[in-house]
Amino acid sequence: MEAASGADIGLVRLTYEKWGDRDFLLLSADEYHALSAPHLKQLIGVLDALQHARIAVILTPITLPGARWRQMNDNHRDGRLWKEKRYWDQARRFWQDLSAALKQHPAIAAYDLLNEPAPELEYGKSTFWTGDYPQWYGAVRGTAGDLNAFYRHLVEGIREIDAQVPLILESGLYATPWAIDVMEPVPDPNILYSIHMYEPYEYTTWRKHKGGLRFPGGLRIESNGRHLEMTPVWLDHFFDPVRAWMKRHSLPPERLVIGEFGCGRRCPGAAAYLAELIRIFDREGWHWLFYSFREDTWEGMDYEFGAEPPPGCYWRLADEGGLPEHYDELYARGRNNALWRVLRGRLGRRNSWPHRQR
């Protein structure tokens, strides 16, 4: 928190799944009954500290009943939420309980109802490049895989408890931008819509090419073999479906949140890629949050290191949970790099998170 505040970071997406037990806060993702009182106390303590540091929070679960986070599930995908509507009811009760417990906490900027939902994977759709989202959604409408109906179910429950707290709804297939095409806005001025941007994944993921690709430059999409030229113009046009959706539903730009975006820091051209995305987001007037700031176990998108390997002690400290105590020595030598300058130059100069509509 101290480091984030020192970097002029004023808004974060906060997840809590690593803080303790396997199903932190829920007690059980297999059968939700009530919040864990000790876990809730711990969460409120963290929110109090963030409020003291003047950092606003978008609270973002990665696990819901019937959808345990893969990293807490022996690396297996848990898709029960998208197959059995009884888990919808449990997720609604969870959010009602949490909304009641945190109502009007001053650190809360919004609730993001579920990080990167992907009901598509349970119904045979694993890529957005095929361009057939309307047809696919038509086949799952009304089933437990209907993300729009799921969101309406949760929103109705939360609004019984808190009529004004901003809510964020992410698009499907891990919040991919093109999945927004089939989202159905909820008639509520305090709801925002969110996408994540790591495309083309073949480029932004270092392990996919080990430095063999760069931005700008060409690549081949794995899922369909299509060749594309990544240029600033192509990157701008990638968001055309998002712009079209917002125009179709008469949504102003401040109702869209880029909840995550990033690029493997060692990927050639990563600084130019990030700079181009920020230029697009700022021009459009969309909220944005970059991923990530000082990850606890992974340095692939820890931009303060630049394109260089982290200090040799990094992995030992990560294993021991001792990174924060050594932040000064870990980050002192790398902060003045092209990647961090792209982000640092924008922090502290952005508009504040919008007030709730009254």
Side-chain angles (χ1 to χ4, degrees), residues 16-191:
Y16 46 75
E17 275 78 3
K18 291 184 180 181
W19 291 3
D21 299 337
R22 183 189 193 194
D23 293 332
F24 189 90
L25 202 57
L26 295 109
L27 287 176
S28 174
D30 300 319
E31 199 70 37
Y32 174 75
H33 295 289
L35 299 174
S36 161
H39 294 171
L40 179 61
K41 181 179 180 181
Q42 184 178 350
L43 174 60
I44 291 174
V46 172
L47 292 174
D48 291 345
L50 285 162
Q51 169 65 14
H52 181 73
R54 302 178 62 83
I55 297 174
V57 174
I58 299 173
L59 193 62
T60 309
I62 305 178
T63 289
L64 284 182
R68 182 178 285 115
W69 183 31
R70 188 171 190 143
Q71 292 188 35
M72 292 295 184
N73 201 44
D74 298 323
N75 204 33
H76 297 300
R77 188 174 76 243
D78 183 3
R80 294 171 294 168
L81 178 64
W82 312 119
K83 290 292 190 178
E84 303 176 50
K85 286 191 176 181
R86 69 186 185 94
Y87 288 112
W88 288 23
D89 295 333
Q90 292 182 33
R92 176 173 167 143
R93 290 199 306 273
F94 164 77
W95 266 116
Q96 287 182 311
D97 292 346
L98 191 57
S99 299
L102 301 180
K103 189 173 183 179
Q104 296 188 350
H105 192 290
I108 295 293
Y111 297 137
D112 188 334
L113 300 192
L114 178 61
N115 182 68
E116 298 191 344
E120 292 89 339
L121 299 181
E122 306 304 317
Y123 294 87
K125 185 169 181 60
S126 59
T127 179
F128 63 87
W129 291 104
T130 50
D132 58 351
Y133 251 103
Q135 297 91 326
W136 174 85
Y137 180 63
V140 301
R141 183 186 291 274
T143 72
D146 186 339
L147 187 59
N148 289 311
F150 171 71
Y151 280 147
R152 288 193 293 269
H153 192 60
L154 295 194
V155 169
E156 289 168 2
I158 295 170
R159 288 301 183 230
E160 293 175 3
I161 307 299
D162 191 327
Q164 295 185 332
V165 63
L167 305 177
I168 295 176
L169 312 182
E170 299 187 20
S171 60
L173 199 60
Y174 302 117
T176 185
W178 288 8
I180 204 170
D181 184 50
V182 295
M183 289 191 78
E184 297 172 350
V186 179
D188 182 325
N190 284 327
I191 290 182

Side-chain angles (χ1 to χ4, degrees), residues 305-326:
F305 288 133
E308 300 299 319
C313 61
Y314 178 92
W315 298 110
R316 174 180 58 80
L317 293 171
D319 290 341
E320 297 171 354
L323 289 175
E325 291 81 5
H326 297 269

